[in-house]
């Protein structure tokens, strides 16, 4: 099984700042990596699929990059509603696996 | 608008059984793979099971193989998860999740329900 390791576990920033979240895979997942946002009491929401493609309705301040084993989710200028937990997920190999999450806090 | 609404969760004793249901609307249900993903309280996400659009292929996480059964009724736009021999570690919020195409194995998850809570008492 592919293990996804996210860092940092917690990221403390202020609105307007740039956020950079990392996801590292234990073996190559090509570009088959997705990012999700989860707010308290809500279901996860797809942000990015296949490393760099924004999902429908996702603001342009969210961007993804990377391939192989190293991936990054960047939020260019944080809005108050962006403070949440972020998960990465690979679809290259079965079983589908998720990272443990990064908590983005104010 | 895509909607996924889970039901059937609740409190069950260890070793018991429960069936989760998911009612889908707002898209052509029969054209897409569907999944169950769970989240233990305060924990991360775990993919539990997947089913192809035509029910021809089904997959399970090792942790539930032999105990859980996924199924669907395309005529009713319904997804199911039959859970048996439940363990304390099965306690979680179970999300019904849509895949982006008919095959279930290499999916990301584009729409999620709000989840149904399953609590297994020991």
């Amino acid at each position: 099984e592919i293990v996804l390791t996210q860092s940092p576990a917690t990221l403390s920033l202020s609105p307007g700042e740039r956020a950079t979240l990392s996801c590292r895979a234990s073996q190559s997942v090509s570009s088959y990596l997705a990012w999700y946002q989860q707010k308290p009491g809500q279901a996860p929401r797809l942000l990015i699929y296949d490393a760099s493609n924004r999902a429908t309705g996702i603001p342009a301040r969210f961007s993804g990059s990377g391939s192989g084993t190293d991936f990054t989710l960047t939020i260019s200028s944080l809005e108050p509603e962006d403070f949440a937990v972020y998960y990465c997920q690979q679809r290259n190999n079965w079983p589908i696996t998720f990272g443990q999450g990064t908590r983005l806090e104010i | 608008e895509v909607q996924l609404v889970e039901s059937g969760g609740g409190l069950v004793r260890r070793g018991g059984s429960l069936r989760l249901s998911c009612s889908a609307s707002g898209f052509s249900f029969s054209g897409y793979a569907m999944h169950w993903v769970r989240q233990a309280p305060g924990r991360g996400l775990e993919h539990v099971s997947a089913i192809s659009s035509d029910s021809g292929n089904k997959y399970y996480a090792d942790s539930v193989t032999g105990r859980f059964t996924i199924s669907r009724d395309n005529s009713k736009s319904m997804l199911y998860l039959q859970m048996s021999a439940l363990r304390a570690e099965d306690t979680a919020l179970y999300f019904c999740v849509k895949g982006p195409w008919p095959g279930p194995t290499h999916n990301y998850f584009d729409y999620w329900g709000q989840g149904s809570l399953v609590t297994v008492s020991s």
Side-chain angles (χ1 to χ4, degrees):
Chain A
E1 140 174 348
I2 293 178
V3 176
L4 300 178
T5 302
Q6 293 186 240
S7 61
T10 302
L11 183 59
S12 299
L13 293 170
S14 299
E17 290 190 298
R18 181 184 187 90
T20 303
L21 287 67
S22 175
C23 178
R24 176 164 290 178
S26 59
Q27 63 189 79
S28 176
V29 298
S30 185
S31 62
Y32 299 134
L33 190 103
W35 291 93
Y36 301 85
Q37 176 193 67
Q38 187 177 31
K39 297 179 181 179
Q42 296 186 17
R45 177 176 69 148
L46 176 67
L47 298 176
I48 302 286
Y49 64 94
D50 292 351
S52 61
N53 297 287
R54 270 190 304 277
T56 303
I58 301 304
R61 64 180 182 273
F62 290 91
S63 64
S65 63
S67 66
T69 60
D70 290 298
F71 298 85
T72 300
L73 174 69
T74 301
I75 310 171
S76 59
S77 180
L78 286 165
E79 297 287 342
E81 62 267 27
D82 298 337
F83 292 91
V85 179
Y86 292 83
Y87 294 96
C88 58
Q89 173 244 322
Q90 67 82 22
R91 68 177 186 90
N92 189 63
N93 282 26
W94 187 263
I96 293 169
T97 51
F98 292 88
Q100 83 282 11
T102 289
R103 180 178 303 277
L104 177 56
E105 63 177 27
I106 300 177
Chain B
E1 178 191 4
V2 173
Q3 286 198 321
L4 300 168
V5 180
E6 302 93 339
S7 60
L11 178 64
V12 61
R13 288 192 175 185
R14 184 179 58 188
S17 298
L18 209 57
R19 187 176 86 151
L20 301 182
S21 300
C22 171
S23 176
S25 61
F27 66 103
S28 181
F29 182 76
S30 61
Y32 296 92
M34 295 295 295
H35 304 258
W36 291 98
V37 175
R38 68 185 180 184
Q39 186 171 36
R43 305 295 296 274
L45 301 166
E46 179 188 15
H47 185 258
V48 172
S49 186
I51 186 168
S52 61
S53 59
D54 64 358
S55 301
N57 292 286
K58 301 176 184 180
Y59 297 88
Y60 301 93
D62 288 346
S63 57
V64 306
T65 295
R67 301 187 298 120
F68 289 14
T69 301
I70 192 171
S71 62
R72 64 191 295 162
D73 185 338
N74 285 346
S75 68
K76 298 180 179 179
S77 296
M78 294 290 295
L79 176 71
Y80 305 100
L81 186 68
Q82 178 68 48
M83 304 182 292
S84 61
L86 283 160
R87 306 167 179 168
E89 55 266 34
D90 295 319
T91 293
L93 188 62
Y94 285 73
F95 295 103
C96 169
V97 186
K98 175 185 169 293
W101 40 66
T105 54
H106 297 283
N107 281 199
Y108 54 85
F109 307 119
D110 53 6
Y111 292 95
W112 298 62
Q114 287 302 305
S116 183
L117 182 62
V118 173
T119 303
V120 183
S121 66
S122 53

